[in-house]
């Protein structure tokens, strides 16, 4: 018998894939807010005046388009996909050992 059955390998693979998908979705949802936060924090250096987060979002959308909210997302997207897949996979493995 193999040390790990096909069924257990399949379940672990599902958990790893689920973790990756969760990381991608979380990053895609939060990244625009991180972009606005970063722009507000660096507004003084760039010489742009914002009255708040909504003003920043409106000006960004108007002058740069919706894609501006996702600039620089590749690195955090990959990092979160890997991170979450490890977390989900490890949790599943430990849970299967304990339970």
């Amino acid at each position: 018998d193999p040390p790990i059955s096909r069924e257990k390998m399949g379940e672990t693979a599902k958990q790893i894939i689920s973790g990756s998908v969760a990381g991608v979705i979380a990053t895609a949802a939060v990244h625009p807010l991180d972009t606005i936060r970063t722009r507000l924090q660096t507004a003084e250096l760039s010489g742009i005046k914002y009255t708040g987060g909504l003003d920043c979002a409106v000006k960004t959308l108007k002058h740069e388009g919706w894609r501006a909210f996702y600039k620089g997302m590749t690195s955090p997207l990959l990092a979160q996909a890997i991170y979450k897949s490890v977390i989900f996979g490890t949790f599943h493995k430990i849970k299967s050992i304990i339970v």
Side-chain angles (χ1 to χ4, degrees):
D1 279 340
I4 300 174
S5 69
R6 283 188 188 270
E7 183 180 308
K8 283 187 179 182
M9 282 180 64
E11 188 58 35
T12 301
K14 275 197 265 184
Q15 293 299 319
I16 290 170
I17 292 167
S18 296
S20 292
V21 171
V24 167
I25 291 171
T27 302
V30 174
H31 198 271
L33 299 173
D34 283 340
T35 299
I36 292 168
R37 178 182 48 88
T38 301
R39 286 176 182 233
L40 288 169
Q41 290 173 335
T42 60
E44 200 172 300
L45 298 173
S46 64
I48 300 172
K49 299 280 185 190
Y50 299 116
T51 59
L54 185 59
D55 181 50
C56 178
V58 169
K59 284 180 179 175
T60 299
L61 185 62
K62 181 179 177 183
H63 296 291
E64 299 177 56
W66 65 271
R67 288 185 179 184
F69 295 107
Y70 294 96
K71 283 183 182 177
M73 190 172 85
T74 304
S75 179
L77 191 74
L78 293 174
Q80 281 299 310
I82 293 167
Y83 171 73
K84 295 292 186 191
S85 68
V86 169
I87 294 296
F88 275 50
T90 303
F91 175 78
H92 173 71
K93 189 66 177 166
I94 290 172
K95 184 176 141 191
S96 69
I97 292 170
I98 293 172
V99 175

